[in-house]
Amino acid sequence: MRDPATTADDQQNGEDGDDGSPEIAVSSAPAGAGGDEAGDSDADDEIGPMPAPPQNDDDDDDDEDDDDDEDDFVIPVSHQLCMSDHRRTVSALSIDSAGSRIATGGRDCSIKLWDFHGMAATPRPFRTLNEPCGANPIRDVRFSNSGDRLLVASGSWQPKLFDREGNTVAEYNKGDPYLRDQRTTKGHVAALTGCRWHPSDKNTFLTSSLDSTIRIWNVENKRENTKVIFVKSKERGSRTPMTCAAYSLDGALIAAVGQDGELRLWNSNGPYISPTHVRSTPRSLVFPIHFALNKSIPSVLHALVQHVEKAHVPGSVTSSVNFSIDRRTFVTRSTDGTVKLWDLRALTQPAAVADNLPSDFEEADAVFSPDFRLVVTGSSPSARRPAAVGADAGETAAAAGAALWFLDPARGLQPAREPVQLGGGGDAVVRVLWHSRINQVAASTAAGAVHVLYDPRASAAGALLAAAKPAARLRHVDEMPIEQDERE
C-alpha cells in the first residue's frame, strides 16, 4: 500500500526542460550596523586626532545573514499527507482557526470532520454526516472565526449551521418562490452557491444563490434574512445566478460575480440599490463610496450598471473572489480558465491576468497566501502544452495536467515556482487554502481526496502530527479473540 505521506518530488510528472524557477525570496530589512564601541573609557582623555575606528567585520556577517534569511523562505510543499474518504469530488473545504480540525464536503452529499491530533499516518475522519442537507451536493463549508461553528451551503435553498462536533444547530428559512419581488421573500428560492462569515461580526454571515440574490443573515434569526441584495442583470429576465460573494477583510465591502460575468461591489452597510464600484467604467464616472451612497444620483448609478463590460466571459462560472489585506486588491477565479487580480483604484481593467488555467468545477478557488504575496489556485487536466515558467506577460503558463499553482502578483501573476502535482498526478484540483497558523496548504481533488502539503522546516503541527504517527497495524486473524460457545 502506498504511504500517503510522501515527498512531492516523487510525485512530479515529467517536465519539459531541467530548469526550475527559483524559490521566492522575502526581502528583509537591512541589518543595523553592529560593532564594538571604539576605544575604552580613557579615550576621551586623549589629546590629538582620534585613531581610525577598527574595521567592523560584523557588517559582512550581517549581509550574509540577510541573504540566508531570503533563502529561508520556502513554500511548504515538500511533503504531502493524503486524506481520502469521499466517494466523489471534494467540493468544500475549511480548517478552523486553530489549525487542528478540517471539515470537508463533497458531491457525494456528505460532510466529514477530521482532527489532526487524532489522526494516524493513514487518516480517517472521526465523524461522517451522510446527506445532512438531503440529497444535495455540498457547495461550501466555513468554520466561524472562533472555530466553534460550521456554516454549510449546499444545493438546497437553506443554509445550515452545525457545531464543531457535527451536531445541527439551525436550519435557516427558505423563501416563497411564488413572490415576484425577491426582496420581499424571507430566504432563497434556488440552490445556494456559497457562504461567508463576516470578518468581525460573529453573528453575521452571507449566502449567494442561483436566484440572483445575496442574503445577509443573523445567526440567532433562522426565520428570515436581515438584508437582501437583489442583482439586476442585462440577461434575459433581468436576473443572473450569483456564483460567488465575499466580504473584504475589514468587512466594509461585499464583492460578487454573476454568471453574466459582471463584477459588482457594494458597501456592506447598504443600501444595495446599485453597486458602489463597477467594472470597466470610465474613471471619471467611478464615484467614491460616500458619493455612490448619495440617493440624489440613483439614475447615474443605474446607468453605470447598464454600461459595464464583462469581468469574466459571460456564461462562465466565477467560482471564487477573495480580498487582500490592503483592502483594495482582490482576486477572482473563473471556469473561463483565468485568474484575475483587481485593484479598486482602477477597475477599468484587471491589474493582472493568468490565463490557460483550465477549471471544470464551479467551486474552484484562488486564495492569497498568509503574507498576501502569492496567489494559490488549482487547475483541471488539459491537453494543451504548457508555456515556460517565468514567461513574459501575455504568454500562457499552465500545465498539460492538473496541478497546484503558486502565482506572484508582483510579477503579473506569473508562476513563482513549478506547479505541484497532487498524489499520482492527473486529478483536478478544486478547493485550496493556505492556513496561516500551521503554514500548510490544503487542496481537494476530483478524486475525492484532500492533500495537505507541508514542510517540516517551516510548518507546525497539523499534518506533521499525523505523519509522525505509525500507520494503524492490521490485526492478524490469529490475534482475534476467540468467542466462547454460548452453550458451554
Side-chain angles (χ1 to χ4, degrees):
M1 179 178 295
R2 181 175 56 87
D3 188 355
T6 57
T7 60
D9 296 337
D10 296 337
Q11 298 165 350
Q12 293 284 347
N13 288 343
E15 299 287 345
D16 294 338
D18 297 330
D19 295 335
S21 60
E23 292 187 354
I24 298 175
V26 177
S27 60
S28 57
D36 299 329
E37 296 182 358
D40 54 22
S41 60
D42 296 335
D44 295 337
D45 296 332
E46 297 181 1
I47 299 176
M50 296 293 294
Q55 182 68 29
N56 188 359
D57 296 333
D58 293 339
D59 290 341
D60 296 337
D61 296 338
D62 291 341
D63 293 339
E64 293 177 0
D65 291 341
D66 289 344
D67 295 337
D68 293 340
D69 291 340
E70 292 179 356
D71 295 335
D72 286 343
F73 178 80
V74 294
I75 300 175
V77 295
S78 64
H79 293 68
Q80 296 185 26
L81 178 70
C82 180
M83 303 161 49
S84 179
D85 203 61
H86 285 276
R87 300 187 305 273
R88 299 182 64 186
T89 300
V90 179
S91 52
L93 174 65
S94 182
I95 301 180
D96 68 352
S97 56
S100 61
R101 186 159 293 186
I102 300 181
T104 59
R107 293 191 175 180
D108 57 5
C109 307
S110 70
I111 295 175
K112 297 181 184 292
L113 301 177
W114 314 69
D115 194 289
F116 281 125
H117 295 279
M119 284 184 190
T122 305
R124 290 291 181 267
F126 71 87
R127 185 169 186 184
T128 297
L129 306 178
N130 290 313
E131 298 189 356
C133 302
N136 294 292
I138 307 301
R139 299 295 306 274
D140 203 358
V141 294
R142 301 279 173 174
F143 274 110
S144 61
N145 296 333
S146 58
D148 61 338
R149 293 173 293 187
L150 180 67
L151 183 62
V152 177
S154 68
S156 69
W157 300 2
Q158 299 172 268
K160 295 189 72 172
L161 188 66
F162 298 83
D163 63 19
R164 65 183 284 109
E165 303 300 328
N167 302 311
T168 302
V169 175
E171 184 176 32
Y172 295 88
N173 198 21
K174 61 181 179 181
D176 186 348
Y178 297 102
L179 292 178
R180 184 177 180 84
D181 189 352
Q182 293 298 311
R183 289 168 292 190
T184 62
T185 62
K186 298 181 179 180
H188 288 290
V189 296
L192 303 177
T193 57
C195 57
R196 291 292 182 97
W197 289 99
H198 191 281
S200 57
D201 186 350
K202 65 179 182 180
N203 291 322
T204 300
F205 65 89
L206 65 75
T207 54
S208 55
S209 171
L210 300 179
D211 63 5
S212 195
T213 68
I214 300 166
R215 297 179 186 266
I216 301 174
W217 305 79
N218 185 283
V219 168
E220 304 300 331
N221 184 6
K222 63 181 181 180
R223 293 184 178 274
E224 61 180 331
N225 51 253
T226 58
K227 299 176 183 177
V228 181
I229 305 177
F230 178 71
V231 180
K232 293 184 178 180
S233 173
K234 293 189 295 184
E235 298 292 318
R236 184 176 182 181
S238 299
R239 298 184 182 183
T240 181
M242 300 308 298
T243 56
C244 66
Y247 285 104
S248 59
L249 296 186
D250 60 357
L253 292 175
I254 295 175
V257 186
Q259 200 165 340
D260 59 357
E262 198 68 59
L263 170 64
R264 303 170 175 87
L265 296 102
W266 296 268
N267 186 304
S268 62
N269 294 326
Y272 308 113
I273 299 175
S274 296
T276 53
H277 294 71
V278 288
R279 188 256 185 232
S280 295
T281 305
R283 296 175 64 92
S284 60
L285 295 181
V286 177
F287 293 88
I289 292 178
H290 64 279
F291 288 136
L293 297 180
N294 188 339
K295 295 183 179 179
S296 64
I297 54 171
S299 60
V300 176
L301 286 174
H302 183 72
L304 293 178
V305 175
Q306 297 299 321
H307 293 85
V308 296
E309 297 179 3
K310 309 305 179 184
H312 285 281
V313 176
S316 65
V317 175
T318 302
S319 51
S320 173
V321 54
N322 285 288
F323 279 86
S324 174
I325 198 172
D326 62 10
R327 299 186 297 178
R328 65 173 182 266
T329 57
F330 58 98
V331 64
T332 56
R333 177 69 161 114
S334 175
T335 56
D336 63 7
T338 64
V339 173
K340 296 186 179 182
L341 185 71
W342 303 88
D343 193 318
L344 289 175
R345 298 168 300 181
L347 283 175
T348 55
Q349 60 183 359
V353 178
D355 60 2
N356 199 14
L357 293 170
S359 173
D360 300 329
F361 294 89
E362 299 174 352
E363 301 88 5
D365 269 331
V367 301
F368 285 97
S369 61
D371 59 4
F372 297 94
R373 297 186 182 185
L374 297 177
V375 172
V376 189
T377 190
S379 61
S380 298
S382 171
R384 288 170 286 186
R385 182 180 180 84
V389 171
D392 295 334
E395 293 184 354
T396 59
L404 189 63
W405 290 90
F406 295 84
L407 309 176
D408 187 357
R411 298 193 298 128
L413 291 180
Q414 294 179 12
R417 55 153 293 147
E418 292 290 335
V420 178
Q421 301 284 344
L422 300 183
D427 295 335
V429 181
V430 186
R431 290 284 187 178
V432 295
L433 62 85
W434 191 336
H435 198 279
S436 59
R437 184 164 184 174
I438 60 177
N439 192 28
Q440 296 175 26
V441 180
S444 71
T445 69
V450 174
H451 296 262
V452 181
L453 292 81
Y454 62 96
D455 191 314
R457 299 172 296 168
S459 303
L464 277 76
L465 299 176
K469 298 179 182 179
R473 187 174 67 89
L474 297 177
R475 300 176 66 181
H476 192 271
V477 64
D478 293 338
E479 299 176 337
M480 299 295 180
I482 300 176
E483 297 182 359
Q484 296 292 331
D485 192 341
E486 296 180 356
R487 295 174 296 178
E488 296 182 357

